[in-house]
Amino acid sequence: MTKAELFSQIKKKSSFLCVGLDADINKIPKHLLKEKDPIFSFCKEIIEETADFAVAYKPNIAFFEALGTEGWETLQKVLELIPKEIFTIADAKRGDIGNTSKLYAKAFFEKMDFDSVTVAPYMGVDSVTPFLEFDEKWVILLALTSNAGSMDFQLIKDEQGKPLYQTVLEKSQSWGSDENMMYVVGATRGELIGEVRKVVPDHFFLVPGVGAQGGSLSEVAKYGMNSTCGLLVNSSRGIIYASEGTDFAKVARKESEKLQIEMKDLLEKYL
Amino acid sequence: MTKAELFSQIKKKSSFLCVGLDADINKIPKHLLKEKDPIFSFCKEIIEETADFAVAYKPNIAFFEALGTEGWETLQKVLELIPKEIFTIADAKRGDIGNTSKLYAKAFFEKMDFDSVTVAPYMGVDSVTPFLEFDEKWVILLALTSNAGSMDFQLIKDEQGKPLYQTVLEKSQSWGSDENMMYVVGATRGELIGEVRKVVPDHFFLVPGVGAQGGSLSEVAKYGMNSTCGLLVNSSRGIIYASEGTDFAKVARKESEKLQIEMKDLLEKYL
């Protein structure tokens, strides 16, 4: 998918919502466990009910990988369910030396047909660029994550006082462009999103941490939005596990619509 | 596997060789392509011929993942072929927020029965510790890798002049112990292995980069060996692709034996 196509979706739906498919067999409604493939049934209903309000879906690959080969089959089937105009993110946090990263890229971009994959930066340029060699496919590079451990290394300042995440942003900008690279920027620190936006004016950010992890959507929009929106805000648990009953998909619909309405206002305010 | 059991294998075989199973469908001998599962057949012959000289096998997960669900089935079958007394490494470079890392850990330690998995440190403590909660299972944390891109971030000095890889080593030592954590330390910089050894006296290092990538085995042993050897030196291409003919496994045997003989001398010299 191109950046223009993504932005077009955002405008059409007045939404920059990404629904995270953290499909956990221990958390999905119990009535689904009698289905042949409970995770597939769960994702299918979630997608059907939220597709009107979402511009992206982000399957968390670990949740499928943990189920073994059957999990990979389920992931493939789930991916095929997602309407073509919606951006898909393989949240896999991959990254290895060149020939190996190329194989991960093939797994997600050719064997499966994801639009993007999340990649960890620690191994540097040759672990990231193999993912950038595919037309209309995207790398979403970890910059500033929303977990507690993000403080361990990402905020370490170098001899010039520059935090590591900023060096990641600066160096990686020359590896790709805002047409094939995005950044993961956690929502739990509103003002830091503004710092990141100064360094990276044009790129999209994938923003986790809104909702369950405590981030504020209005802060994210205030500090992070740019002229092509530039934001995909992810919500997982707050949508997909909003109800444990047979009404889970309808409740997910309501929760995603609530976010979309809030996003519509923010788009009108800042775009 | 415990550290004592690993060291016992090293002494028994006079070897600290890890054979990297980078089983690439485009590189394996052509005559195998007529087999039902060429990658499995390739790995089977390699393992049978090199098991006398190897104390560890390291399947590169990307090579299996790139083949889709069939690849995961092949990986499971390959893992089952490896003799129980040999240490197994899922070279997967995983790492995500806590609940997700726990699922990756389950995938490699429960769904499959790997002894260890390689993990990327960028997301910090809560992305690593979920892997440490399994008895006799190991995290092998990326510290200083052997690729060109390792220069991009791993060598960045902080305000006290300490390179990032050293902070990774120092902080992560409190997350686990030398009984459940190892470090990836590339061989392409002999003297740097000595620097790492000073910071981490007791942990095992997984050392890539010997052979094809230009690292010297004798330098690695000189700077890196400790009283329990403390080294697993990986060779992939130099062994598994030493011949493209029907004799590939026999040639792999010879190449691994060559390394084992060199390792025997080094163990006698430094242990």
Side-chain angles (χ1 to χ4, degrees), chain A residues 60 63 65 72 93-94 96 100 103 121-123 125-126 143 147 149 152-154 157-159 171, chain B residues 60 63 65 72 93-94 96 100 103 108 121-123 125-126 143 147 149 152-154 157-159 171:
Chain A
N60 185 326
F63 286 77
E65 191 169 302
W72 288 93
K93 314 273 194 328
R94 297 297 193 261
D96 205 317
T100 303
L103 284 165
Y122 191 73
M123 294 182 73
V125 56
D126 50 352
N147 62 318
D152 284 321
F153 308 118
Q154 297 166 25
K157 289 182 176 165
D158 69 11
E159 290 172 309
K171 280 208 175 173
Chain B
N60 185 326
F63 287 77
E65 191 168 304
W72 288 95
K93 313 275 193 328
R94 298 297 193 260
D96 205 317
T100 303
L103 284 166
F108 290 108
Y122 191 74
M123 293 183 73
V125 56
D126 50 351
N147 62 318
D152 285 322
F153 308 118
Q154 298 167 24
K157 289 183 176 167
D158 69 11
E159 290 172 307
K171 281 208 177 173

Side-chain angles (χ1 to χ4, degrees), chain B residues 185-212:
Chain B
V185 184
T188 41
R189 303 181 188 89
E191 77 293 355
L192 276 186
I193 293 185
E195 296 300 309
V196 177
R197 186 47 90 200
K198 280 182 209 158
V199 182
V200 193
D202 299 324
H203 288 64
F204 263 83
F205 298 162
L206 171 63
V207 184
V210 166

Side-chain angles (χ1 to χ4, degrees), chain B residues 13-33:
Chain B
K13 289 183 172 166
S14 296
S15 169
F16 45 99
L17 176 63
C18 174
V19 174
L21 299 172
D22 295 15
D24 184 342
I25 194 77
N26 300 309
K27 284 191 189 163
I28 63 173
K30 295 288 170 282
H31 73 279
L32 292 174
L33 299 179

